[in-house]
Short mmCIF file of all heavy atoms in Angstrom, two decimals:
data_model
loop_
_atom_site.label_atom_id
_atom_site.label_comp_id
_atom_site.label_asym_id
_atom_site.label_seq_id
_atom_site.Cartn_x
_atom_site.Cartn_y
_atom_site.Cartn_z
N ASN A 7 60.39 75.81 108.14
CA ASN A 7 59.61 75.21 109.21
C ASN A 7 60.47 74.22 109.99
O ASN A 7 61.30 73.53 109.42
CB ASN A 7 58.40 74.49 108.65
CG ASN A 7 57.41 75.43 108.04
OD1 ASN A 7 57.37 76.61 108.37
ND2 ASN A 7 56.60 74.93 107.14
N ILE A 8 60.25 74.15 111.28
CA ILE A 8 60.96 73.23 112.15
C ILE A 8 59.93 72.35 112.83
O ILE A 8 59.00 72.86 113.45
CB ILE A 8 61.78 73.98 113.22
CG1 ILE A 8 62.81 74.90 112.55
CG2 ILE A 8 62.46 73.01 114.17
CD1 ILE A 8 63.50 75.83 113.51
N SER A 9 60.09 71.04 112.73
CA SER A 9 59.19 70.10 113.39
C SER A 9 59.92 69.48 114.58
O SER A 9 61.11 69.18 114.50
CB SER A 9 58.76 68.99 112.44
OG SER A 9 58.03 69.53 111.38
N PHE A 10 59.20 69.29 115.69
CA PHE A 10 59.81 68.71 116.88
C PHE A 10 58.73 68.11 117.76
O PHE A 10 57.55 68.32 117.56
CB PHE A 10 60.62 69.75 117.65
CG PHE A 10 59.82 70.93 118.12
CD1 PHE A 10 59.27 70.96 119.38
CD2 PHE A 10 59.61 72.02 117.28
CE1 PHE A 10 58.52 72.05 119.81
CE2 PHE A 10 58.87 73.10 117.70
CZ PHE A 10 58.33 73.12 118.96
N GLN A 11 59.17 67.36 118.76
CA GLN A 11 58.25 66.75 119.72
C GLN A 11 58.82 66.98 121.11
O GLN A 11 60.01 66.78 121.34
CB GLN A 11 58.12 65.26 119.46
CG GLN A 11 57.20 64.56 120.42
CD GLN A 11 57.07 63.08 120.10
OE1 GLN A 11 57.59 62.59 119.13
NE2 GLN A 11 56.37 62.37 120.96
N ILE A 12 57.98 67.41 122.05
CA ILE A 12 58.40 67.56 123.44
C ILE A 12 57.45 66.75 124.32
O ILE A 12 56.32 66.49 123.94
CB ILE A 12 58.44 69.04 123.89
CG1 ILE A 12 57.08 69.73 123.69
CG2 ILE A 12 59.53 69.79 123.16
CD1 ILE A 12 57.02 71.13 124.21
N ASP A 13 57.96 66.36 125.49
CA ASP A 13 57.16 65.47 126.34
C ASP A 13 56.39 66.18 127.43
O ASP A 13 55.54 65.59 128.08
CB ASP A 13 58.04 64.38 126.95
CG ASP A 13 59.20 64.94 127.76
OD1 ASP A 13 59.36 66.17 127.80
OD2 ASP A 13 59.95 64.14 128.32
N LYS A 14 56.68 67.48 127.67
CA LYS A 14 55.92 68.23 128.66
C LYS A 14 56.00 69.71 128.32
O LYS A 14 56.94 70.15 127.65
CB LYS A 14 56.45 67.97 130.07
CG LYS A 14 57.88 68.37 130.27
CD LYS A 14 58.35 68.04 131.67
CE LYS A 14 59.83 68.38 131.82
NZ LYS A 14 60.33 68.07 133.14
N PRO A 15 55.05 70.51 128.76
CA PRO A 15 55.09 71.94 128.50
C PRO A 15 56.38 72.56 129.05
O PRO A 15 56.81 72.21 130.15
CB PRO A 15 53.87 72.49 129.23
CG PRO A 15 52.95 71.33 129.35
CD PRO A 15 53.85 70.13 129.51
N SER A 16 57.00 73.41 128.28
CA SER A 16 58.26 74.01 128.74
C SER A 16 58.56 75.25 127.92
O SER A 16 57.94 75.52 126.90
CB SER A 16 59.41 73.01 128.61
OG SER A 16 59.60 72.64 127.27
N SER A 17 59.57 76.00 128.39
CA SER A 17 60.03 77.13 127.60
C SER A 17 60.83 76.58 126.41
O SER A 17 61.39 75.50 126.47
CB SER A 17 60.89 78.06 128.44
OG SER A 17 62.04 77.40 128.90
N LEU A 18 60.88 77.35 125.37
CA LEU A 18 61.48 76.89 124.13
C LEU A 18 62.44 77.96 123.63
O LEU A 18 62.10 79.14 123.61
CB LEU A 18 60.37 76.65 123.10
CG LEU A 18 60.76 76.10 121.76
CD1 LEU A 18 61.33 74.70 121.91
CD2 LEU A 18 59.55 76.07 120.85
N ARG A 19 63.63 77.54 123.26
CA ARG A 19 64.61 78.46 122.68
C ARG A 19 65.08 77.87 121.36
O ARG A 19 65.50 76.72 121.30
CB ARG A 19 65.80 78.63 123.61
CG ARG A 19 66.86 79.54 123.03
CD ARG A 19 68.01 79.70 123.99
NE ARG A 19 68.97 80.63 123.43
CZ ARG A 19 70.11 80.92 123.98
NH1 ARG A 19 70.45 80.37 125.13
NH2 ARG A 19 70.92 81.77 123.42
N ILE A 20 64.98 78.67 120.31
CA ILE A 20 65.40 78.24 118.98
C ILE A 20 66.45 79.20 118.47
O ILE A 20 66.26 80.42 118.51
CB ILE A 20 64.22 78.21 118.01
CG1 ILE A 20 63.15 77.25 118.51
CG2 ILE A 20 64.69 77.83 116.61
CD1 ILE A 20 61.85 77.36 117.78
N GLN A 21 67.56 78.66 118.00
CA GLN A 21 68.59 79.47 117.37
C GLN A 21 68.97 78.82 116.04
O GLN A 21 69.00 77.60 115.93
CB GLN A 21 69.86 79.55 118.22
CG GLN A 21 69.73 80.38 119.46
CD GLN A 21 71.06 80.49 120.17
OE1 GLN A 21 71.70 79.49 120.45
NE2 GLN A 21 71.45 81.71 120.47
N ILE A 22 69.25 79.67 115.05
CA ILE A 22 69.82 79.21 113.80
C ILE A 22 71.16 79.92 113.65
O ILE A 22 71.23 81.14 113.75
CB ILE A 22 68.91 79.51 112.60
CG1 ILE A 22 67.58 78.76 112.77
CG2 ILE A 22 69.60 79.12 111.30
CD1 ILE A 22 66.57 79.03 111.67
N LEU A 23 72.21 79.13 113.45
CA LEU A 23 73.56 79.66 113.32
C LEU A 23 74.12 79.31 111.95
O LEU A 23 73.84 78.22 111.43
CB LEU A 23 74.48 79.08 114.39
CG LEU A 23 74.11 79.41 115.84
CD1 LEU A 23 73.19 78.36 116.40
CD2 LEU A 23 75.34 79.52 116.68
N ASP A 24 74.93 80.22 111.39
CA ASP A 24 75.64 79.84 110.17
C ASP A 24 76.85 79.01 110.57
O ASP A 24 77.11 78.78 111.75
CB ASP A 24 76.00 81.07 109.32
CG ASP A 24 77.01 82.00 109.96
OD1 ASP A 24 77.65 81.63 110.97
OD2 ASP A 24 77.18 83.11 109.44
N MET A 25 77.62 78.53 109.61
CA MET A 25 78.71 77.61 109.92
C MET A 25 79.91 78.30 110.57
O MET A 25 80.82 77.63 111.04
CB MET A 25 79.13 76.85 108.65
CG MET A 25 78.02 75.94 108.12
SD MET A 25 77.22 74.89 109.37
CE MET A 25 78.53 73.77 109.79
N THR A 26 79.89 79.63 110.67
CA THR A 26 80.94 80.33 111.41
C THR A 26 80.54 80.55 112.86
O THR A 26 81.31 81.07 113.64
CB THR A 26 81.27 81.69 110.76
OG1 THR A 26 80.13 82.56 110.90
CG2 THR A 26 81.64 81.54 109.30
N GLY A 27 79.29 80.17 113.22
CA GLY A 27 78.81 80.34 114.59
C GLY A 27 78.01 81.61 114.81
O GLY A 27 77.53 81.88 115.90
N ARG A 28 77.84 82.40 113.76
CA ARG A 28 77.07 83.64 113.87
C ARG A 28 75.58 83.32 113.98
O ARG A 28 75.03 82.55 113.19
CB ARG A 28 77.34 84.52 112.65
CG ARG A 28 76.65 85.87 112.71
CD ARG A 28 77.05 86.72 111.54
NE ARG A 28 76.89 85.95 110.30
CZ ARG A 28 76.95 86.46 109.09
NH1 ARG A 28 77.19 87.74 108.93
NH2 ARG A 28 76.78 85.70 108.03
N VAL A 29 74.92 83.92 114.97
CA VAL A 29 73.48 83.69 115.18
C VAL A 29 72.70 84.46 114.12
O VAL A 29 72.80 85.67 114.00
CB VAL A 29 73.05 84.14 116.59
CG1 VAL A 29 71.54 83.98 116.76
CG2 VAL A 29 73.79 83.34 117.66
N MET A 30 71.91 83.72 113.34
CA MET A 30 71.11 84.30 112.27
C MET A 30 69.65 84.47 112.69
O MET A 30 68.93 85.27 112.12
CB MET A 30 71.17 83.41 111.02
CG MET A 30 72.58 83.08 110.56
SD MET A 30 73.54 84.54 110.15
CE MET A 30 72.69 85.12 108.71
N TYR A 31 69.22 83.69 113.66
CA TYR A 31 67.84 83.74 114.16
C TYR A 31 67.88 83.34 115.63
O TYR A 31 68.58 82.40 116.00
CB TYR A 31 66.95 82.78 113.38
CG TYR A 31 65.52 82.71 113.86
CD1 TYR A 31 64.58 83.63 113.43
CD2 TYR A 31 65.11 81.73 114.76
CE1 TYR A 31 63.26 83.57 113.88
CE2 TYR A 31 63.80 81.67 115.21
CZ TYR A 31 62.89 82.59 114.77
OH TYR A 31 61.60 82.54 115.21
N ASN A 32 67.14 84.05 116.46
CA ASN A 32 67.13 83.77 117.88
C ASN A 32 65.74 84.04 118.43
O ASN A 32 65.23 85.14 118.34
CB ASN A 32 68.16 84.66 118.59
CG ASN A 32 68.50 84.18 119.97
OD1 ASN A 32 68.25 83.04 120.31
ND2 ASN A 32 69.06 85.06 120.76
N ASN A 33 65.12 83.02 118.98
CA ASN A 33 63.80 83.16 119.60
C ASN A 33 63.89 82.54 120.98
O ASN A 33 63.93 81.33 121.13
CB ASN A 33 62.74 82.46 118.76
CG ASN A 33 61.34 82.69 119.29
OD1 ASN A 33 61.16 83.34 120.30
ND2 ASN A 33 60.36 82.16 118.61
N ILE A 34 63.95 83.38 122.01
CA ILE A 34 64.19 82.91 123.37
C ILE A 34 62.91 82.96 124.20
O ILE A 34 62.15 83.91 124.12
CB ILE A 34 65.28 83.76 124.05
CG1 ILE A 34 66.57 83.67 123.25
CG2 ILE A 34 65.52 83.31 125.48
CD1 ILE A 34 67.65 84.60 123.73
N ASP A 35 62.73 81.92 125.00
CA ASP A 35 61.66 81.86 126.01
C ASP A 35 60.26 81.92 125.42
O ASP A 35 59.37 82.52 126.00
CB ASP A 35 61.83 82.94 127.08
CG ASP A 35 63.05 82.67 127.95
OD1 ASP A 35 63.38 81.50 128.16
OD2 ASP A 35 63.64 83.64 128.40
N LYS A 36 60.06 81.31 124.30
CA LYS A 36 58.71 81.16 123.80
C LYS A 36 58.10 79.98 124.55
O LYS A 36 58.57 78.86 124.45
CB LYS A 36 58.73 80.87 122.30
CG LYS A 36 57.36 80.68 121.72
CD LYS A 36 57.42 80.49 120.22
CE LYS A 36 56.03 80.32 119.68
NZ LYS A 36 56.00 80.34 118.24
N ILE A 37 57.08 80.24 125.34
CA ILE A 37 56.48 79.19 126.16
C ILE A 37 55.50 78.40 125.29
O ILE A 37 54.66 78.97 124.60
CB ILE A 37 55.73 79.78 127.37
CG1 ILE A 37 56.67 80.65 128.19
CG2 ILE A 37 55.10 78.68 128.21
CD1 ILE A 37 57.84 79.93 128.80
N THR A 38 55.64 77.10 125.33
CA THR A 38 54.72 76.26 124.58
C THR A 38 54.06 75.27 125.53
O THR A 38 54.71 74.73 126.42
CB THR A 38 55.42 75.51 123.43
OG1 THR A 38 54.44 74.76 122.72
CG2 THR A 38 56.53 74.59 123.90
N SER A 39 52.79 75.07 125.34
CA SER A 39 52.06 74.08 126.14
C SER A 39 51.81 72.83 125.31
O SER A 39 51.14 71.91 125.77
CB SER A 39 50.74 74.66 126.64
OG SER A 39 49.93 75.01 125.54
N LEU A 40 52.34 72.80 124.10
CA LEU A 40 52.15 71.64 123.24
C LEU A 40 53.01 70.49 123.72
O LEU A 40 54.17 70.67 124.05
CB LEU A 40 52.50 71.98 121.80
CG LEU A 40 51.72 73.15 121.19
CD1 LEU A 40 52.26 73.46 119.80
CD2 LEU A 40 50.25 72.81 121.11
N THR A 41 52.45 69.32 123.77
CA THR A 41 53.21 68.15 124.24
C THR A 41 53.16 67.03 123.21
O THR A 41 53.11 65.86 123.55
CB THR A 41 52.67 67.65 125.58
OG1 THR A 41 51.28 67.37 125.44
CG2 THR A 41 52.88 68.67 126.67
N TYR A 42 53.18 67.39 121.97
CA TYR A 42 53.14 66.40 120.90
C TYR A 42 53.90 66.99 119.72
O TYR A 42 54.47 68.06 119.82
CB TYR A 42 51.71 66.03 120.52
CG TYR A 42 50.83 67.24 120.26
CD1 TYR A 42 50.79 67.83 119.00
CD2 TYR A 42 50.07 67.80 121.28
CE1 TYR A 42 50.00 68.94 118.76
CE2 TYR A 42 49.28 68.91 121.05
CZ TYR A 42 49.25 69.47 119.79
OH TYR A 42 48.48 70.57 119.57
N ASN A 43 53.92 66.26 118.61
CA ASN A 43 54.61 66.77 117.43
C ASN A 43 54.04 68.10 117.01
O ASN A 43 52.83 68.27 116.94
CB ASN A 43 54.47 65.79 116.26
CG ASN A 43 55.26 64.53 116.46
OD1 ASN A 43 56.31 64.56 117.08
ND2 ASN A 43 54.77 63.43 115.95
N THR A 44 54.88 69.05 116.74
CA THR A 44 54.42 70.35 116.30
C THR A 44 55.42 70.93 115.31
O THR A 44 56.56 70.50 115.24
CB THR A 44 54.20 71.30 117.49
OG1 THR A 44 53.54 72.46 117.04
CG2 THR A 44 55.51 71.69 118.15
N THR A 45 54.98 71.88 114.53
CA THR A 45 55.83 72.55 113.57
C THR A 45 55.68 74.04 113.76
O THR A 45 54.58 74.54 113.93
CB THR A 45 55.42 72.18 112.12
OG1 THR A 45 55.52 70.77 111.96
CG2 THR A 45 56.31 72.87 111.11
N ILE A 46 56.80 74.75 113.77
CA ILE A 46 56.75 76.20 113.85
C ILE A 46 57.44 76.77 112.62
O ILE A 46 58.29 76.15 112.01
CB ILE A 46 57.41 76.74 115.13
CG1 ILE A 46 58.87 76.35 115.19
CG2 ILE A 46 56.68 76.29 116.35
CD1 ILE A 46 59.62 77.06 116.27
N HIS A 47 57.04 77.96 112.25
CA HIS A 47 57.61 78.65 111.10
C HIS A 47 58.66 79.64 111.59
O HIS A 47 58.40 80.44 112.48
CB HIS A 47 56.52 79.40 110.32
CG HIS A 47 57.07 80.21 109.19
ND1 HIS A 47 57.55 79.64 108.05
CD2 HIS A 47 57.23 81.54 109.06
CE1 HIS A 47 57.98 80.60 107.25
NE2 HIS A 47 57.80 81.77 107.84
N VAL A 48 59.85 79.54 111.03
CA VAL A 48 60.94 80.46 111.37
C VAL A 48 61.02 81.50 110.26
O VAL A 48 61.22 81.16 109.10
CB VAL A 48 62.28 79.71 111.50
CG1 VAL A 48 63.42 80.68 111.71
CG2 VAL A 48 62.20 78.70 112.64
N SER A 49 60.83 82.75 110.64
CA SER A 49 60.83 83.82 109.63
C SER A 49 62.19 84.53 109.63
O SER A 49 62.31 85.67 110.06
CB SER A 49 59.70 84.80 109.91
OG SER A 49 59.85 85.33 111.21
N ALA A 50 63.20 83.82 109.18
CA ALA A 50 64.54 84.40 109.08
C ALA A 50 64.90 84.49 107.60
O ALA A 50 64.65 83.57 106.84
CB ALA A 50 65.54 83.54 109.82
N ASN A 51 65.47 85.60 107.22
CA ASN A 51 65.93 85.76 105.84
C ASN A 51 67.32 85.15 105.73
O ASN A 51 68.31 85.79 106.08
CB ASN A 51 65.97 87.24 105.45
CG ASN A 51 64.58 87.83 105.35
OD1 ASN A 51 63.65 87.14 104.97
ND2 ASN A 51 64.44 89.09 105.71
N LEU A 52 67.37 83.92 105.27
CA LEU A 52 68.63 83.20 105.18
C LEU A 52 69.05 83.06 103.73
O LEU A 52 68.23 82.73 102.88
CB LEU A 52 68.50 81.80 105.80
CG LEU A 52 68.07 81.73 107.27
CD1 LEU A 52 67.87 80.28 107.67
CD2 LEU A 52 69.11 82.40 108.14
N GLU A 53 70.33 83.28 103.48
CA GLU A 53 70.88 83.04 102.15
C GLU A 53 71.07 81.54 101.99
O GLU A 53 71.05 80.78 102.96
CB GLU A 53 72.22 83.76 102.00
CG GLU A 53 72.12 85.27 102.09
CD GLU A 53 73.47 85.94 101.92
OE1 GLU A 53 74.43 85.27 101.52
OE2 GLU A 53 73.55 87.15 102.20
N SER A 54 71.30 81.10 100.75
CA SER A 54 71.59 79.69 100.51
C SER A 54 72.84 79.30 101.27
O SER A 54 73.80 80.07 101.34
CB SER A 54 71.78 79.43 99.02
OG SER A 54 70.60 79.70 98.31
N GLY A 55 72.83 78.12 101.88
CA GLY A 55 73.99 77.65 102.62
C GLY A 55 73.62 76.59 103.64
O GLY A 55 72.48 76.13 103.71
N VAL A 56 74.60 76.22 104.46
CA VAL A 56 74.42 75.21 105.50
C VAL A 56 74.29 75.93 106.84
O VAL A 56 75.07 76.84 107.14
CB VAL A 56 75.60 74.22 105.53
CG1 VAL A 56 75.43 73.19 106.63
CG2 VAL A 56 75.76 73.54 104.17
N TYR A 57 73.32 75.51 107.64
CA TYR A 57 73.04 76.15 108.92
C TYR A 57 72.88 75.09 110.01
O TYR A 57 72.61 73.92 109.73
CB TYR A 57 71.76 76.98 108.84
CG TYR A 57 71.88 78.15 107.91
CD1 TYR A 57 71.55 78.02 106.57
CD2 TYR A 57 72.35 79.37 108.36
CE1 TYR A 57 71.68 79.09 105.70
CE2 TYR A 57 72.48 80.44 107.49
CZ TYR A 57 72.15 80.29 106.17
OH TYR A 57 72.28 81.35 105.31
N LEU A 58 73.01 75.52 111.25
CA LEU A 58 72.81 74.67 112.41
C LEU A 58 71.60 75.18 113.18
O LEU A 58 71.51 76.38 113.45
CB LEU A 58 74.04 74.70 113.32
CG LEU A 58 73.94 73.95 114.65
CD1 LEU A 58 73.85 72.44 114.40
CD2 LEU A 58 75.14 74.26 115.53
N ILE A 59 70.68 74.29 113.50
CA ILE A 59 69.54 74.62 114.35
C ILE A 59 69.82 74.10 115.75
O ILE A 59 70.19 72.94 115.92
CB ILE A 59 68.24 73.96 113.86
CG1 ILE A 59 67.86 74.49 112.50
CG2 ILE A 59 67.11 74.20 114.85
CD1 ILE A 59 66.64 73.80 111.93
N LYS A 60 69.67 74.96 116.75
CA LYS A 60 69.78 74.57 118.15
C LYS A 60 68.42 74.83 118.80
O LYS A 60 67.94 75.95 118.77
CB LYS A 60 70.86 75.38 118.86
CG LYS A 60 72.25 75.10 118.35
CD LYS A 60 73.27 75.96 119.03
CE LYS A 60 73.55 75.40 120.40
NZ LYS A 60 74.66 76.10 121.08
N LEU A 61 67.82 73.79 119.32
CA LEU A 61 66.51 73.90 119.95
C LEU A 61 66.64 73.39 121.38
O LEU A 61 67.11 72.28 121.60
CB LEU A 61 65.49 73.07 119.18
CG LEU A 61 64.05 73.21 119.60
CD1 LEU A 61 63.14 73.12 118.39
CD2 LEU A 61 63.67 72.15 120.60
N ASN A 62 66.29 74.22 122.35
CA ASN A 62 66.27 73.83 123.76
C ASN A 62 64.84 73.87 124.25
O ASN A 62 64.16 74.88 124.09
CB ASN A 62 67.11 74.80 124.60
CG ASN A 62 68.57 74.74 124.25
OD1 ASN A 62 68.99 75.40 123.32
ND2 ASN A 62 69.32 73.96 124.96
N ALA A 63 64.39 72.77 124.84
CA ALA A 63 63.06 72.69 125.43
C ALA A 63 63.23 72.10 126.82
O ALA A 63 63.53 70.92 126.95
CB ALA A 63 62.13 71.83 124.59
N GLY A 64 63.08 72.95 127.83
CA GLY A 64 63.31 72.47 129.20
C GLY A 64 64.76 72.07 129.36
O GLY A 64 65.67 72.83 129.07
N MET A 65 65.00 70.83 129.76
CA MET A 65 66.37 70.32 129.96
C MET A 65 66.89 69.59 128.73
O MET A 65 68.00 69.07 128.74
CB MET A 65 66.39 69.38 131.17
CG MET A 65 66.00 70.06 132.48
SD MET A 65 67.11 71.41 132.93
CE MET A 65 68.56 70.50 133.37
N SER A 66 66.12 69.52 127.66
CA SER A 66 66.52 68.80 126.45
C SER A 66 67.08 69.76 125.42
O SER A 66 66.65 70.90 125.31
CB SER A 66 65.32 68.07 125.85
OG SER A 66 64.81 67.14 126.76
N GLU A 67 68.07 69.27 124.66
CA GLU A 67 68.66 70.05 123.59
C GLU A 67 68.71 69.21 122.33
O GLU A 67 69.03 68.02 122.38
CB GLU A 67 70.07 70.51 123.96
CG GLU A 67 70.70 71.38 122.89
CD GLU A 67 72.04 71.94 123.30
OE1 GLU A 67 72.13 72.50 124.40
OE2 GLU A 67 72.99 71.81 122.52
N TYR A 68 68.40 69.84 121.20
CA TYR A 68 68.41 69.18 119.91
C TYR A 68 69.22 70.04 118.96
O TYR A 68 69.02 71.26 118.90
CB TYR A 68 66.97 69.03 119.40
CG TYR A 68 66.85 68.58 117.97
CD1 TYR A 68 67.02 67.24 117.64
CD2 TYR A 68 66.56 69.47 116.97
CE1 TYR A 68 66.90 66.81 116.32
CE2 TYR A 68 66.43 69.06 115.65
CZ TYR A 68 66.61 67.75 115.35
OH TYR A 68 66.51 67.32 114.05
N ASN A 69 70.17 69.44 118.26
CA ASN A 69 70.98 70.14 117.27
C ASN A 69 70.88 69.41 115.95
O ASN A 69 70.92 68.17 115.91
CB ASN A 69 72.45 70.19 117.70
CG ASN A 69 72.66 70.98 118.96
OD1 ASN A 69 72.23 72.12 119.05
ND2 ASN A 69 73.30 70.38 119.93
N SER A 70 70.76 70.17 114.87
CA SER A 70 70.69 69.56 113.56
C SER A 70 71.19 70.55 112.51
O SER A 70 71.01 71.75 112.64
CB SER A 70 69.24 69.18 113.24
OG SER A 70 69.16 68.56 111.98
N LYS A 71 71.82 70.01 111.48
CA LYS A 71 72.23 70.85 110.35
C LYS A 71 71.15 70.79 109.28
O LYS A 71 70.45 69.79 109.15
CB LYS A 71 73.53 70.33 109.74
CG LYS A 71 74.74 70.57 110.59
CD LYS A 71 75.98 70.08 109.88
CE LYS A 71 77.19 70.21 110.76
NZ LYS A 71 78.38 69.64 110.11
N PHE A 72 71.02 71.88 108.53
CA PHE A 72 70.13 71.86 107.38
C PHE A 72 70.72 72.72 106.27
O PHE A 72 71.56 73.57 106.50
CB PHE A 72 68.71 72.30 107.74
CG PHE A 72 68.53 73.78 107.94
CD1 PHE A 72 68.07 74.58 106.90
CD2 PHE A 72 68.79 74.37 109.16
CE1 PHE A 72 67.89 75.94 107.09
CE2 PHE A 72 68.62 75.72 109.35
CZ PHE A 72 68.17 76.52 108.31
N ILE A 73 70.27 72.44 105.06
CA ILE A 73 70.74 73.17 103.89
C ILE A 73 69.60 74.03 103.37
O ILE A 73 68.51 73.52 103.10
CB ILE A 73 71.22 72.20 102.79
CG1 ILE A 73 72.40 71.38 103.31
CG2 ILE A 73 71.60 72.97 101.54
CD1 ILE A 73 72.84 70.28 102.36
N LYS A 74 69.85 75.31 103.23
CA LYS A 74 68.88 76.24 102.63
C LYS A 74 69.27 76.40 101.18
O LYS A 74 70.38 76.76 100.86
CB LYS A 74 68.96 77.59 103.37
CG LYS A 74 68.23 78.74 102.70
CD LYS A 74 66.75 78.67 102.98
CE LYS A 74 66.03 79.96 102.74
NZ LYS A 74 65.83 80.42 101.42
N GLN A 75 68.35 76.10 100.29
CA GLN A 75 68.63 76.17 98.85
C GLN A 75 68.14 77.45 98.25
O GLN A 75 67.29 78.10 98.70
CB GLN A 75 67.97 74.99 98.17
CG GLN A 75 68.41 73.71 98.79
CD GLN A 75 68.84 72.68 97.79
OE1 GLN A 75 68.80 72.90 96.60
NE2 GLN A 75 69.25 71.54 98.28
#
């Protein structure tokens, strides 16, 4: 699950990359009208390891690493 907050309705792009830069999950142009904290479920079959989440909402970008156990 990924939790985030946006300040206005916008298109949403979520990518999960492994540490070599390979895209493991890609969800482009999911339009959201939510303007508060929200959580979405990412249904990617990921092996244990370290990954990078890239989330773009409108003109904002958020990057974070996470560990899948």
